[in-house]
């Protein structure tokens, strides 16, 4: 009797163990994975997007595979390795927007969905690939706000346009870059800055040494009467190097107004008590990372397609006065 009951309960235990084993295998098989590929993993901007994509993964129950893709080769092999890992789709800021067709071909081959973030894909004829869902900055408008902030600060300092010049570091190969600097120049002109006081200078690379070089080559073209300088560019790095160049050329911080875009990449600089880098336009990298990851998760799990175009137009000027509070507000201060 006792013996039989013992065998029965043993069987029950065995069945229960098998059931648990089976359901955990099923659960493991069901874990949704998505990729998040970024061109410049060293930029805090992209690290912030990654962190918030992972937060979305934690909230909704999916895994984010983060891969840095600094060039075309790495991008294509990253897509293969994502596929081998069972990812169903990925969000990407590509190292070169003209890789769009190659990225889409590779994704199709692996049956993966794609969302572009920040930098929008272009096809072989240079046209936007409008079929690929994209989420990015409302670049011209954000640039206009940057230019308006520069002009407002110049006015506050009592600068005369007569002896004030602007050096704008451009990267016209990238649409979001061109639109931002076009927007800031538009705002400077509307604020009364004479056209011929605005010098554009092309960046070779989107980093601090790159903007130091491009600004240096513009500084030598300034007339001797140039007393005050405005330094612009498409993001923080393209302004930070410019400000460094003004320092080496002997301009004092009080005679320089550099305003970047991103905010995230200027935190170290704003912690310094004083410099020609006045501030940065802070958009919403936390929302971009969270939202694109969430959209991808929904797309691969429910089939809900993301919108083809989402523009983010909200920006806040952060300066030494308010950067800590503003970053704290959105959970970017630690
Ligand atoms: C581009 C820039 C980044 C960031 C992003 C929104 O990708 O390179 O620094 O500004 O747009």
């Amino acid at each position: 009797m006792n013996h039989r009951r013992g065998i029965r309960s043993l069987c029950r235990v065995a069945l229960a163990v098998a059931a648990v084993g089976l359901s955990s295998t099923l659960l493991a098989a069901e874990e949704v994975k998505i990729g998040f590929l970024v061109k410049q993993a060293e930029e805090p901007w992209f690290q912030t997007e990654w962190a918030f994509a992972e937060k979305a993964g934690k909230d909704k129950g999916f895994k984010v595979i983060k891969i840095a893709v600094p060039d075309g080769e790495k991008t294509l092999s990253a897509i293969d390795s994502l596929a081998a890992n069972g990812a169903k789709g990925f969000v990407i800021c590509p190292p070169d927007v003209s890789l769009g067709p190659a990225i889409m071909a590779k994704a199709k081959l692996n049956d993966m969905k794609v969302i572009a973030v920040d930098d929008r894909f272009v096809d072989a004829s240079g046209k936007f690939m409008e079929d690929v869902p994209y989420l990015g900055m409302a670049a011209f408008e954000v640039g206009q706000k940057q230019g308006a902030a520069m002009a407002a600060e110049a006015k506050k300092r009592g600068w005369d346009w007569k002896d004030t010049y602007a050096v704008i570091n451009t990267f016209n190969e990238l649409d979001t870059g061109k639109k931002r600097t076009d927007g800031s120049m538009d705002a400077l002109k509307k604020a009364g800055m004479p056209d011929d006081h605005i010098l554009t200078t092309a960046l070779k690379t989107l980093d601090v040494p790159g903007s130091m070089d491009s600004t240096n080559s513009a500084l030598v073209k300034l007339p001797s009467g140039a007393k005050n300088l405005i330094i612009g560019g498409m993001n923080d790095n393209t302004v930070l190097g410019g400000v460094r160049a003004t320092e080496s050329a002997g301009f004092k911080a009080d005679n320089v107004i550099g305003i970047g875009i991103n905010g995230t990449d200027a935190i170290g600089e704003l912690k310094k008590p004083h410099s020609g880098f006045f501030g940065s336009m802070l958009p919403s990298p936390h929302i971009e990372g969270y939202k694109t990851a969430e959209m991808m998760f929904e797309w691969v799990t429910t089939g809900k397609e993301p919108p083809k175009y989402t523009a983010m137009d909200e920006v806040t000027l952060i300066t030494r006065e308010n950067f800590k509070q503003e970053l704290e507000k959105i959970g970017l201060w630690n």
Side-chain angles (χ1 to χ4, degrees), residues 37-54:
L37 280 46
V38 303
K39 64 174 182 180
Q40 280 176 285
E42 75 284 359
E43 269 190 12
W45 172 268
F46 293 111
Q47 291 163 18
T48 309
E49 286 187 341
W50 269 352
F52 282 82
E54 284 188 313

Side-chain angles (χ1 to χ4, degrees), residues 39 43 45-46 93 118-119 137 180 206 234-235 262:
K39 64 174 182 180
E43 269 190 12
W45 172 268
F46 293 111
C93 178
D118 297 327
D119 298 359
M137 203 182 284
R180 292 179 212 177
L206 281 180
M234 65 166 283
N235 61 12
N262 277 8

Side-chain angles (χ1 to χ4, degrees), residues 2-329:
N2 268 349
H3 178 66
R4 217 181 283 155
R5 210 182 286 152
I7 289 182
R8 233 183 269 149
S9 61
L10 259 182
C11 286
R12 251 181 249 132
V13 169
L15 274 176
V17 167
V20 168
L22 188 69
S23 63
S24 63
T25 331
L26 278 178
L27 272 182
E30 274 167 12
E31 184 185 38
V32 175
K33 293 178 189 160
I34 67 161
F36 206 114
L37 280 46
V38 303
K39 64 174 182 180
Q40 280 176 285
E42 75 284 359
E43 269 190 12
W45 172 268
F46 293 111
Q47 291 163 18
T48 309
E49 286 187 341
W50 269 352
F52 282 82
E54 284 188 313
K55 186 168 188 304
K58 237 190 199 158
D59 291 351
K60 313 264 155 173
F62 61 92
K63 186 175 158 63
V64 179
I65 303 174
K66 304 175 294 178
I67 309 180
V69 290
D71 59 43
E73 219 173 289
K74 293 222 169 65
T75 305
L76 299 181
S77 68
I79 300 173
D80 281 334
S81 89
L82 281 178
N85 275 298
K88 301 268 176 291
F90 57 91
V91 178
I92 181 168
C93 178
D96 179 347
V97 286
S98 65
L99 285 169
I103 293 169
M104 292 315 290
K106 191 61 130 181
K108 203 172 164 203
L109 215 63
N110 287 303
D111 196 21
M112 292 168 101
K113 300 190 168 22
V114 183
I115 296 176
V117 69
D118 297 327
D119 298 359
R120 200 173 187 190
F121 293 173
V122 296
D123 65 17
S125 57
K127 285 207 198 74
F128 287 136
M129 295 175 68
E130 287 175 357
D131 276 351
V132 182
Y134 166 76
L135 182 145
M137 203 182 284
F140 190 79
E141 290 77 6
V142 170
Q144 277 182 317
K145 290 178 185 165
Q146 176 193 30
M150 289 160 161
E153 178 60 18
K155 196 169 165 211
K156 200 167 154 210
R157 293 189 193 181
W159 288 5
D160 193 332
W161 289 132
K162 239 184 21 244
D163 45 26
T164 301
Y165 285 75
V167 174
I168 309 293
N169 297 282
T170 60
F171 197 71
N172 291 345
E173 297 86 325
L174 185 61
D175 181 76
T176 184
K178 178 169 175 2
K179 288 209 175 102
R180 292 179 212 177
T181 46
D182 282 355
S184 67
M185 290 190 280
D186 177 69
L188 284 172
K189 285 177 198 166
K190 282 186 179 143
M193 184 166 225
D195 282 21
D196 61 353
H197 282 214
I198 302 178
L199 280 69
T200 58
T201 181
L203 290 150
K204 290 203 182 75
T205 53
L206 281 180
D207 51 14
V208 174
S211 62
M212 212 187 282
D213 285 350
S214 55
T215 301
N216 267 329
S217 64
L219 292 181
V220 294
K221 295 183 194 143
L222 286 174
S224 54
K227 188 173 143 208
N228 302 311
L229 285 182
I230 285 173
I231 304 292
M234 65 166 283
N235 61 12
D236 290 333
N237 281 348
T238 57
V239 175
L240 280 168
V243 170
R244 296 288 92 86
T246 65
E247 289 162 357
S248 326
F251 285 88
K252 295 217 169 61
D254 287 342
N255 297 99
V256 177
I257 298 171
I259 297 186
I261 294 175
N262 277 8
T264 46
D265 313 357
I267 299 176
E269 181 72 12
L270 292 177
K271 282 181 180 166
K272 294 184 192 163
H274 199 49
S275 87
F277 190 94
F278 176 71
S280 179
M281 311 306 293
L282 172 72
S284 318
H286 57 306
I287 299 178
E288 296 203 7
Y290 195 99
K291 216 179 154 90
T292 46
E294 186 186 31
M295 289 192 311
M296 179 53 77
F297 172 67
E298 277 177 10
W299 197 6
V300 298
T301 51
T302 70
K304 184 180 167 224
E305 266 196 50
K308 294 289 187 218
Y309 182 80
T310 311
M312 311 284 295
D313 56 4
E314 264 188 50
V315 276
T316 310
L317 171 66
I318 56 169
T319 64
R320 285 179 177 76
E321 302 289 311
N322 68 347
F323 75 110
K324 194 168 171 283
Q325 297 90 293
E326 290 301 324
L327 291 164
E328 252 164 12
K329 265 193 219 164

